[in-house]
Amino acid sequence: MAKILCVLSAIVFVVKTDDVSEFNATITAVNITLNSTVNRTIAFKTPPFSLFSTTTTTKANKTVLGKKNMRKKNVDVKRIDQDEDGKHETKNGTADVNKAPDCPPLGLKSLRVDDSQFQASSYLRMGLGPHRARLNIQSGIEDGDMYDGAWCAKYEDQHQWLQVDALRPTLFTGVILQGRNSIWSWDWVETYKVQLSNDSETWKTCMNGTEEAVFVGSRNEPETPYLALFPQPAVARWIRINPQTWYWNGTICLRAEVLGCPLPDPDNVWQHLSEKLPGSKDNLDFRHHNYKEMRKLMKAVNEDCPRITRIYTIGKSYTGLKLYAMEISDNPGKHELGEPEFRYVAGMHGNEVVGRELVLNLMQYICREFRRGNPRIVRLVTSTRIHLLPSMNPDGYETAFERGSELAGWALGRYSYEWVDMNHNFPDLNNIMWDAKENDTETVKTANHYIPIPEYYTKEDAFVTPETRAVISWMQDIPFVLSANLHGGELVVTYPFDCTRDWAPQENTPTADDSFFRWLATVYASTNLVMANPDRRICHSEDFQQHNNIINGGAWHTVPGSMNDFSYMHTNCFEVTVELSCDKFPHASELPTEWENNKESLLVYMEQVHRGIKGVVRDKMTKKGIADAIVKVEDLDHDIRSAADGDYWRLLNPGEYKVTVWAEGYFPSMRRCSVGTEARPTICDFILIKTPRQRMNGILAKGGRLPQDLQLKLRAMRLRKLRVSTKAINQRRERSRKARGTRSARAPRPLTPLA
């Protein structure tokens, strides 16, 4: 038995030694002694325990944490300072840091670090306890509740500290700090020290030569994250942040992230056997893709699966970056009669990057599984035309990507280049409909669908981003049936209406299809591994688990001009918003886990496009499809229209429905359609008979009016105007870009010495 244990121990330590080899630049030896009773000792030979701070300011400081070249060789170290962008300068002294590894965040921001791993010397109240000291955590609207936006010490002195237990030996390499998130308070830490311990009792302060190192924290405002990298990392289990000075008119408050590489635990030989390894079994490209890398990935998928994929563009961003979309279908490039159209839109807010990477992963996954003959994926591809738009706001993403996952903060890159929130940039059709309904009469009824774009929105001087214009045009070209708008920063699925009536800040504002929207939201939320976990921690300040992780958009907060509402009221498409992750811009090491959390949800949500009824509306004489026929379901005050070929799709929950179809110049037709519980649509075709000419003449002779689809004509006219103004704006912007490029090329270049 002793021999068996010895062999098993040796096997375990082979695995452990492989892990340690990643850090052999700093940990010069791992000595392992084994005997038959599995006694073992591991001695880590590390650099001196004292730690210093940061590196000289370089362009690499702007990149995503985890990339190479984040350090400079032989950095001068005497005093640590930072510039206004959160990057760092060091002066007077030297420290060789070229061998230090690039370690990921410990997981304060991503919630991988549990609340129980935090401690503090004191805290002002429970809502400002140490568990709230997470980078980018957001407070509620009111201060003083259980969910404030930082850890704040009870006392204002230099003996206060925030402590994090890494639970295992960790190679600590740096700290990121920002101040308190609050509408009403203004607090941050300006300088701090760092201490480390292996037993939580004996602490060693990071040294700067013969003096204790002092790191610079926040400057002038609390939201920008500031990074301090240690030029000589050291191994410990516990780390403390010890504030030294703070904003003169505030108190000691901070949010933080810690950078560190986990190491094998010398006191736990079975660690590798008991640990649940994070990540994914799918071999996908799990990393952050900037614009150039995104194009490469999409091209690679298209080359791997040319028979089922097509790359196209729907427009350009303000700076001229193309809005690429990928179509996945068994007949790409063509709408097939009776086949529903589905879309995922990600990156409306450029810094909410999880959706972007999930959509790119989804492309790869569908391509690979289709080639493998996965029956579920083959069925999805052959029965659905799928459109994937990974980046609606590429300008914003590039801004956030340049700073990196931990340094972009909460809002950098959210808005368009013109500083517009695109989820408030679509036409507000809700209030147009509600105002018109207040003036309804028996002879004039307000339309409940296909509501035209308002006139002001079509003008060249309308404050509408080119990205929003491009998406609206895309919606007109393709008869989408179902969509999801992928966001980040919370864990919840919201459904229309997003805008409340009478401008109430919060009010449940259901649509006529509220029950089906609730079904759609539940399908995604209940299959998402994190949302479905009853023991999960709330992200920031709102507990959506009490609503089963779904909520009406207006009941959360009013959003006039949202894409969800516009899609529902201007087109046939039902759309929800999915808030995918507490962390808007997680470190690349978190992406495999995010994929596993959302993979099933992404697939099962797409399959909902096949619920309800579908069919073709045809002319009885010619047998041709009738475009723009109105499909009305009794007791549901929201109609849809047939597509150009006469086919239609009406999403419905199981039940019996009385359906009436009408088109201009035809008698209406009615039939009953039954929807089952199976995830496949009920076929309900309609044959319409043209109104006889003599009947029309008789109506006119009596002074009557023929029923006309004036709303459809107005909608088409406004869309033409929008496209004309968009074309003029794009041409003017392109000429301006070319002119700037010409001036730049003609400008004299500064002389530079030869290398």
Side-chain angles (χ1 to χ4, degrees):
M1 182 64 182
K3 290 182 179 179
I4 295 173
L5 288 173
C6 184
V7 171
L8 288 174
S9 301
I11 292 172
V12 171
F13 276 108
V14 167
V15 177
K16 292 163 71 71
T17 302
D18 287 342
D19 289 342
V20 174
S21 66
E22 296 178 12
F23 314 113
N24 59 6
T26 312
I27 305 169
T28 57
V30 177
N31 300 320
I32 302 174
T33 304
L34 295 173
N35 59 29
S36 60
T37 60
V38 203
N39 290 327
R40 69 274 180 207
T41 59
I42 300 180
F44 295 95
K45 295 184 179 180
T46 67
F49 193 73
S50 59
L51 300 178
F52 313 106
S53 186
T54 77
T55 63
T56 302
T57 302
T58 66
K59 183 178 180 180
N61 285 101
K62 298 181 180 180
T63 61
V64 178
L65 289 179
K67 290 192 174 183
K68 296 181 179 179
N69 303 323
M70 290 189 68
R71 300 172 181 277
K72 276 261 190 179
K73 297 182 180 180
N74 299 319
V75 178
D76 289 345
V77 179
K78 177 65 177 178
R79 176 180 168 275
I80 298 92
D81 205 352
Q82 299 165 310
D83 66 15
E84 293 299 325
D85 293 326
K87 298 170 294 185
H88 295 255
E89 299 173 350
T90 51
K91 305 173 183 178
N92 306 327
T94 61
D96 188 356
V97 298
N98 60 302
K99 294 183 180 180
D102 297 324
C103 289
L106 209 60
L108 282 69
K109 179 165 71 89
S110 67
L111 305 185
R112 191 168 67 249
V113 172
D114 189 73
D115 286 353
S116 62
Q117 293 172 242
F118 291 86
Q119 281 187 292
S121 54
S122 66
Y123 51 90
L124 203 56
R125 57 177 178 270
M126 184 58 69
L128 293 167
H131 63 291
R132 302 296 293 176
R134 300 177 183 272
L135 195 73
N136 286 341
I137 201 167
Q138 302 295 292
S139 69
I141 294 181
E142 298 294 334
D143 283 351
D145 59 15
M146 295 294 290
Y147 305 107
D148 278 324
W151 161 67
C152 292
K154 183 177 182 179
Y155 307 105
E156 294 186 14
D157 60 49
Q158 294 182 339
H159 303 295
Q160 304 306 304
W161 45 261
L162 173 75
Q163 176 179 308
V164 179
D165 180 2
L167 299 182
R168 60 187 295 171
T170 300
L171 187 72
F172 291 111
T173 62
V175 169
I176 302 171
L177 226 62
Q178 65 185 168
R180 177 181 178 181
N181 175 256
S182 172
I183 298 175
W184 315 105
S185 302
W186 202 243
D187 304 297
W188 61 83
V189 169
E190 294 182 337
T191 62
Y192 61 99
K193 296 179 181 180
V194 173
Q195 301 163 345
L196 295 106
S197 174
N198 287 315
D199 57 11
S200 76
E201 294 181 1
T202 304
W203 293 87
K204 195 88 170 183
T205 302
C206 300
M207 301 300 292
N208 178 13
T210 59
E211 301 175 354
E212 293 185 346
V214 178
F215 303 93
V216 176
S218 299
R219 285 187 174 185
N220 303 325
E221 52 83 28
E223 290 300 326
T224 301
Y226 287 86
L227 167 66
L229 287 173
F230 307 149
Q232 287 187 314
V235 176
R237 174 173 163 175
W238 285 268
I239 184 170
R240 277 183 179 178
I241 299 170
N242 172 214
Q244 297 297 297
T245 61
W246 45 94
Y247 176 49
W248 68 272
N249 199 28
T251 189
I252 299 174
C253 294
L254 64 85
R255 293 173 287 167
E257 181 60 87
V258 176
L259 307 183
C261 295
L263 302 178
D265 189 346
D267 296 322
N268 186 358
V269 69
W270 306 111
Q271 182 182 59
H272 280 277
L273 299 181
S274 61
E275 281 185 343
K276 183 178 179 181
L277 296 176
S280 172
K281 295 179 181 178
D282 295 319
N283 185 24
L284 306 176
D285 189 5
F286 294 119
R287 60 193 174 98
H288 290 295
H289 297 79
N290 63 10
Y291 180 74
K292 183 178 179 181
E293 294 299 323
M294 180 188 73
R295 291 194 306 173
K296 286 182 179 179
L297 185 148
M298 295 177 72
K299 183 179 179 182
V301 172
N302 179 241
E303 290 173 349
D304 287 343
C305 294
R307 190 166 69 86
I308 64 167
T309 63
R310 178 178 71 98
I311 300 172
Y312 63 100
T313 63
I314 67 169
K316 291 184 179 181
S317 71
Y318 184 90
T319 64
L321 300 181
K322 293 181 179 179
L323 307 182
Y324 286 104
M326 175 169 283
E327 176 192 344
I328 302 178
S329 169
D330 60 342
N331 193 3
K334 180 182 178 182
H335 172 74
E336 298 181 73
L337 189 71
E339 187 169 283
E341 310 261 0
F342 177 92
R343 71 170 182 258
Y344 274 130
V345 177
M348 169 181 276
H349 296 146
N351 64 330
E352 297 170 12
V353 307
V354 175
R356 175 192 182 103
E357 298 306 326
L358 288 179
V359 168
L360 294 176
N361 292 152
L362 185 62
M363 296 175 189
Q364 301 172 75
Y365 180 80
I366 292 177
C367 172
R368 188 190 67 185
E369 294 301 306
F370 184 87
R371 294 174 64 184
R372 290 180 176 178
N374 182 325
R376 183 185 190 185
I377 300 302
V378 171
R379 182 170 59 251
L380 188 62
V381 170
T382 54
S383 64
T384 317
R385 193 177 180 211
I386 303 165
H387 302 262
L388 305 176
L389 180 68
S391 186
M392 181 178 166
N393 181 8
D395 294 345
Y397 176 83
E398 294 299 306
T399 300
F401 179 84
E402 184 180 1
R403 291 301 304 275
S405 58
E406 312 308 308
L407 299 181
W410 184 251
L412 184 67
R414 172 186 175 91
Y415 304 102
S416 74
Y417 186 87
E418 301 167 280
W419 209 247
V420 176
D421 187 333
M422 294 184 194
N423 207 32
H424 293 263
N425 198 226
F426 287 81
D428 176 11
L429 305 182
N430 305 55
N431 284 289
I432 291 175
M433 181 185 72
W434 292 328
D435 290 346
K437 280 190 173 184
E438 292 181 359
N439 300 319
D440 274 355
T441 65
E442 289 299 320
T443 57
V444 179
K445 288 291 182 183
T446 301
N448 59 21
H449 72 292
Y450 262 43
I451 298 175
I453 295 170
E455 177 70 24
Y456 75 86
Y457 200 87
T458 66
K459 299 183 181 301
E460 289 187 30
D461 59 355
F463 199 47
V464 185
T465 70
E467 297 88 349
T468 306
R469 292 172 180 267
V471 169
I472 290 175
S473 183
W474 187 38
M475 290 179 177
Q476 313 298 327
D477 293 337
I478 299 174
F480 291 113
V481 179
L482 181 61
S483 171
N485 184 8
L486 305 182
H487 286 237
E490 259 298 348
L491 280 168
V492 67
V493 183
T494 73
Y495 52 90
F497 286 122
D498 290 332
C499 183
T500 60
R501 299 191 72 160
D502 302 321
W503 305 101
Q506 287 180 308
E507 183 179 69
N508 186 50
T509 313
T511 66
D513 290 283
D514 187 62
S515 62
F516 192 80
F517 272 118
R518 290 177 62 83
W519 165 258
L520 289 174
T522 301
V523 162
Y524 199 102
S526 62
T527 53
N528 180 280
L529 298 185
V530 181
M531 293 188 201
N533 179 7
D535 299 322
R536 74 171 177 88
R537 184 194 189 280
I538 67 171
C539 290
H540 300 284
S541 61
E542 297 181 82
D543 184 7
F544 291 109
Q545 286 187 311
Q546 62 182 317
H547 308 293
N548 296 316
N549 301 299
I550 69 171
I551 192 170
N552 173 264
W556 186 15
H557 57 265
T558 186
V559 182
S562 77
M563 188 165 72
N564 286 7
D565 288 0
F566 177 80
S567 181
Y568 181 68
M569 303 183 74
H570 186 69
T571 75
N572 292 331
C573 187
F574 287 31
E575 180 173 283
V576 302
T577 291
V578 183
E579 300 284 350
L580 294 161
S581 172
C582 299
D583 191 351
K584 288 186 176 184
F585 199 152
H587 188 265
S589 61
E590 304 279 353
L591 295 178
T593 301
E594 295 292 354
W595 166 250
E596 286 300 315
N597 290 341
N598 288 277
K599 178 172 70 173
E600 178 61 22
S601 305
L602 292 167
L603 295 175
V604 74
Y605 184 81
M606 284 193 287
E607 292 167 342
Q608 304 314 301
V609 76
H610 296 286
R611 289 196 176 272
I613 62 175
K614 75 172 186 177
V616 182
V617 183
R618 288 187 171 93
D619 184 292
K620 183 177 182 179
M621 298 297 294
T622 65
K623 307 300 182 185
K624 292 183 178 179
I626 301 173
D628 296 313
I630 298 174
V631 180
K632 182 183 293 292
V633 178
E634 189 176 52
D635 298 326
L636 285 179
D637 189 23
H638 182 79
D639 306 332
I640 57 105
R641 302 234 180 190
S642 60
D645 296 330
D647 46 350
Y648 77 92
W649 306 262
R650 183 57 166 96
L651 298 176
L652 293 167
N653 281 324
E656 297 285 334
Y657 297 94
K658 180 180 177 181
V659 183
T660 302
V661 174
W662 173 82
E664 186 175 347
Y666 290 86
F667 287 118
S669 175
M670 187 276 290
R671 63 174 294 186
R672 295 188 179 276
C673 303
S674 177
V675 178
T677 58
E678 305 84 3
R680 62 174 181 267
T682 299
I683 306 299
C684 285
D685 294 327
F686 288 85
I687 302 295
L688 299 189
I689 301 173
K690 278 193 174 181
T691 306
R693 184 66 188 174
Q694 57 268 29
R695 174 74 180 274
M696 296 168 64
N697 291 337
I699 294 174
L700 293 173
K702 294 180 181 180
R705 289 185 176 183
L706 296 176
Q708 293 184 351
D709 203 342
L710 298 178
Q711 176 184 319
L712 184 65
K713 293 180 174 61
L714 179 61
R715 181 179 181 274
M717 181 188 69
R718 295 273 174 81
L719 177 61
R720 286 195 298 270
K721 286 186 175 182
L722 180 69
R723 285 177 165 167
V724 168
S725 65
T726 299
K727 183 177 180 180
I729 291 170
N730 289 342
Q731 288 175 343
R732 188 164 61 246
R733 191 171 290 134
E734 188 64 29
R735 287 195 298 268
S736 177
R737 274 197 294 265
K738 288 180 179 179
R740 288 197 300 270
T742 302
R743 287 195 297 270
S744 176
R746 291 176 180 174
R749 296 182 179 180
L751 295 176
T752 56
L754 294 175

